[in-house]
Amino acid sequence: MSKILIIGAGGQIGTELVLELRKMKGNDTVIAADLSDECPVLIKNGPYVQMDVLDREFVRDYIISQQIDEVYLLAALLSATAEKHPDFAWKLNMEGLFSVLDLAKEKHIKKIFWPSSIAVFGATTPKVNTPQKTVMEPSTVYGISKQSGEGWCSYYFDNYGVDVRSIRYPGLISYKSLPGGGTTDYSVDIFYQAKLKSQYSCFLKEDTLLPMMFMEDAIRATIELMEAPSEKVKVRTSYNLAGISFTPAQIAQKIKLHLPDFEMSYTPDFRQKIADTWPGSIDDSQATKDWGWKERYTLESLVEVMLENVDVSLLDKDV
Ligand code: NAD
Ligand code: SER
């Protein structure tokens, strides 16, 4: 059984990925790693190691000594936080990637998953059904780091045979852990505030159409891509992936069907400028063709599951 290391395991994606991979492959084979000295409560059912991905020597020694086969590298600063700390965002988002790519180049790692984002696209990209291959002129440090990372993944595959796989995730919506500083975070915050106060002040304008996805679909996509035979993985930059596209007004309207008193107001902030450069919808036909991707959640089913499961006490908890 392959030994798997998930770096950035305590975050929005990591928490759910760890739980799902442990369910499939056994608790002991999936090692969670993050900055905190304490293992996050939700992933206490298996091994945990405190790790700073920027500590190249530690990462190297750990991966070699523990004979890790696969690495999922999730540690990063997301779009909104990255705009506040551009130098550090560039450092974190790129250096961790090089550490694992180099270990794979030296044959210490067999397979890598590294996520990209819709942030690789920019204002000059076609907004509707954005193609897999198109103009990419990102305007955020986050988008620039993801676009560069994609280029390096493809370079390491072409020149050193590194089996690195990637998805351009849309905005991800989940209830098990909170999002970590992205432009799409409103689509999660809204459920907490709807349940808590029946009102939400949205930091994006009501008609801002963005591609989104429920976490269960995103985790399934990630694992399907990682389990696909190597020859089926034709894109070695990163795959477009689509779920559901909606605006703040559209999701508010669906929530209102369950909570009729819910009211939404709009106070756009600096994140609006970021969102304005991103696509409204994504063409993911290449992922469907190559490894059979198909989303399952609709806006209606997502809203239902979120309202049922969002636990407002999570807002005060360290998970
Ligand atoms: P998150 O912010 O929720 O989690 C990131 C985790 O990385 C955190 O637990 C954090 O403590 C950890 N981390 C930060 N610095 C670290 C370091 N130096 N060493 C080790 N761990 C460190 O992020 P997420 O939403 O889970 O995203 C994970 C990845 O997926 C990122 O690369 C992100 O760009 C990408 N992505 C996420 C979304 C989304 O909507 N969540 C969309 C597109 C792409
Ligand atoms: N959800 C992410 C963000 O808003 C997209 O990469 O940063």
Side-chain angles (χ1 to χ4, degrees), residues 249-299:
Q250 285 166 339
I251 192 170
Q253 189 216 344
K254 296 292 179 199
I255 291 175
K256 235 173 144 47
L257 295 177
H258 297 263
L259 303 173
D261 292 339
F262 177 63
E263 292 298 339
M264 180 100 138
S265 57
Y266 300 91
T267 41
D269 66 13
F270 72 101
R271 288 168 280 196
Q272 183 66 48
K273 195 173 146 208
I274 301 175
D276 284 343
T277 68
W278 288 356
S281 57
I282 300 285
D283 173 8
D284 62 358
S285 50
Q286 181 89 42
T288 304
K289 185 168 143 237
D290 291 355
W291 42 276
W293 163 248
K294 178 86 188 97
E295 80 283 0
R296 288 186 187 149
Y297 277 82
T298 60
L299 180 54

Side-chain angles (χ1 to χ4, degrees), residues 199-204 206 248 252 262-268:
Q199 56 180 14
Y200 180 57
S201 169
C202 184
F203 58 75
L204 297 183
E206 60 185 308
F262 177 63
E263 292 298 339
M264 180 100 138
S265 57
Y266 300 91
T267 41

Side-chain angles (χ1 to χ4, degrees), residues 97 112-121 130-134 136 142-143 145-155 157 164-170 221-222 225 233-242 282-288 290-291:
L97 177 59
I112 298 169
F113 178 80
W114 173 83
S116 185
S117 160
I118 51 166
V120 293
F121 301 118
T130 301
Q132 173 69 43
K133 280 193 181 180
T134 185
M136 294 202 291
Y142 177 67
S145 72
K146 291 296 184 186
Q147 188 193 21
S148 308
E150 286 191 12
W152 282 113
C153 288
S154 168
Y155 185 89
F157 173 75
V164 52
R165 305 173 181 207
S166 178
I167 285 172
R168 292 173 184 149
Y169 290 129
T222 307
L225 173 62
V233 183
K234 310 268 192 225
V235 174
R236 293 294 180 158
T237 49
S238 188
Y239 276 98
N240 271 10
L241 204 70
I282 300 285
D283 173 8
D284 62 358
S285 50
Q286 181 89 42
T288 304
D290 291 355
W291 42 276

Side-chain angles (χ1 to χ4, degrees), residues 12 171-174 187-188 191 212-215 246 302 306:
Q12 191 195 7
L172 300 181
I173 302 173
S174 65
S187 59
V188 179
F191 289 100
M212 305 280 191
M213 179 175 283
F214 188 53
M215 188 62 84
F246 58 80
L302 175 149
M306 285 298 285

Side-chain angles (χ1 to χ4, degrees), residues 127-139:
K127 266 193 176 307
V128 181
N129 237 2
T130 301
Q132 173 69 43
K133 280 193 181 180
T134 185
V135 179
M136 294 202 291
E137 294 183 319
S139 59

